[in-house]
Amino acid sequence: MREVFDESGAAGRLRVPVAAWRWATGTGPVPPGDVGPGRWSREVVEAVDPEQVRAALQGIEAGVAADRLTEALGVPLPILRPKVTASGIGYLVKAGLLVYLGGDPQFPVVHSDQVAALARRRDLPALLDRHVPLGPDQAARRLGVRRCDFDQVVRLGWLAPVGSVEVDYKRQGGVTTVPLYDAQEIALLDVVRPCVGWRAVRTARAGRRSPLAALDSSQVWEQVLLAEVAQMARVSRAAVVNWRRRHDDFPDPVAGTDGHPQFDRRAVVAWLLAHDKIEVPTGPTTATLVLAGARGAAHRFRLDDPWLALADDACGEDTLSGWSTDADADAMAALTAGASGAVLRRLTVPGTGPLAVPGAVKVIDRSRSGSGDLRLTLAWPAGLRGTAGPGSAGGVVRHGVTYVGPGEACVCARHECGGVVPVSWCAEHGDRVGPVLEWHPGGGIRCIELARP
């Protein structure tokens, strides 16, 4: 009589699916093999409850799992994020993040609860970049460029395949070998090649020659000066000089002079990553804005990879551009179509404090890149821009410059520009006194001018 069972034999003995036994092994109902890895004694197998093993199995196909992880990345999907594919689930199984329950190992059946738990992880984008390689079209999406631009990146030698996969296109050419690229290396291109005009590449129109086509594949691209290392890490050149002096493992120069040494780019990038001087971007930065039309109803929008340009002069114009969905672009255009434009109640963009504009916000451009993505540009008079009010409602913070400076008895909120927001119970600036000479947006250009000594 058989005394030792592998997973197939154990599942057969209990008359349960092999996938159910495999899942139960990884989640508790079945203990680890007592005879060896993947091998159980007769006593252990017969002590397992078959109904408990069957109840544990809730398998879903790889395509369904991929759709659930894609949805977890954001709706709508961010501009620099390709969809998770069924083959990507196979790589997550290889990485140990999901348990293989059966089917084709490249497109495996996995457990729905485990997929849901993975979808809830805040580091899901980083996990996908680390473990799931990308084909050329997916890689172009991850970089936010056209396929022809990505082909130029490969031509220049900035990326090399880390593997390949056979794809059967059936009527469209049969079996084709498709190269695969490391998603982390793709995501790092923005950081490790700061001298490239990535914004121009990402906004290139359809039919236009790639901005990268004019570059040659010379090895000079792979050697960097200390100034470019500083650009990568967003620090001063002096900081990099200090790192080189303090750390014995900083890469040695490969060319240049003592005064202007040149370093191998890949070695420098590896050092910066190892010492937490740079990190892998997991996706695009995002701007959120709340617009209100003439009737006052507020609408929230999102712009990916935003570019905020603030004028230095009150007579100038501020602009905000970013990638948008067609539906959001139509809604914004409708809100700003009136003669007075829209009110920007609150704008949150990485790198600056929340802004608000009391009116005259307009959509001035909507254009498509060669990859088909829509980029939207809004503008407003710079003199109207101000600091947004506290809380999610936003609204511009406004205050007034008084005829005379506030005295010791003043209980109003004071601002650096000398302005106050009068309150009725203030003996010096109560409602009956009417002290305001000029109202202006707090934090705006006028406010900054008044605050200067």
Side-chain angles (χ1 to χ4, degrees), residues 218-346:
S218 167
Q219 282 298 107
V220 173
W221 280 101
E222 302 313 310
Q223 296 170 4
V224 295
L225 295 167
L226 290 173
E228 190 170 357
V229 179
Q231 280 186 285
M232 294 181 194
R234 297 184 178 182
V235 297
S236 66
R237 184 182 183 279
V240 180
V241 171
N242 191 40
W243 293 344
R244 187 184 175 201
R245 185 186 307 115
R246 290 174 52 198
H247 297 275
D248 295 336
D249 61 341
F250 193 91
D252 293 325
V254 295
T257 64
D258 290 342
H260 299 281
Q262 296 179 356
F263 303 85
D264 178 75
R265 186 184 298 273
R266 291 186 179 276
V268 166
V269 170
W271 188 89
L272 292 173
L273 285 170
H275 290 262
D276 295 324
K277 304 300 185 184
I278 60 174
E279 59 183 22
V280 180
T282 57
T285 55
T286 298
T288 58
L289 58 157
V290 179
L291 283 177
R295 298 182 179 179
H299 302 266
R300 184 177 296 274
F301 301 99
R302 184 183 92 189
L303 291 178
D304 289 333
D305 190 27
W307 182 257
L308 177 64
L310 300 178
D312 295 327
D313 193 301
C315 296
E317 191 174 56
D318 297 337
T319 59
L320 169 70
S321 65
W323 301 105
S324 173
T325 64
D326 286 284
D328 276 0
D330 290 342
M332 276 191 256
L335 280 173
T336 63
S340 59
V343 172
L344 177 58
R345 290 188 176 175
R346 189 176 186 87

Side-chain angles (χ1 to χ4, degrees), residues 13 58 71 83 113 170 202 316 334 351 371 376 381 389 402 413 416:
R13 178 68 181 174
Q58 298 177 35
E71 185 177 355
K83 293 180 179 179
D113 289 350
K170 301 190 184 299
R202 290 194 174 109
S371 59
L376 203 66
T402 58
E416 292 183 2

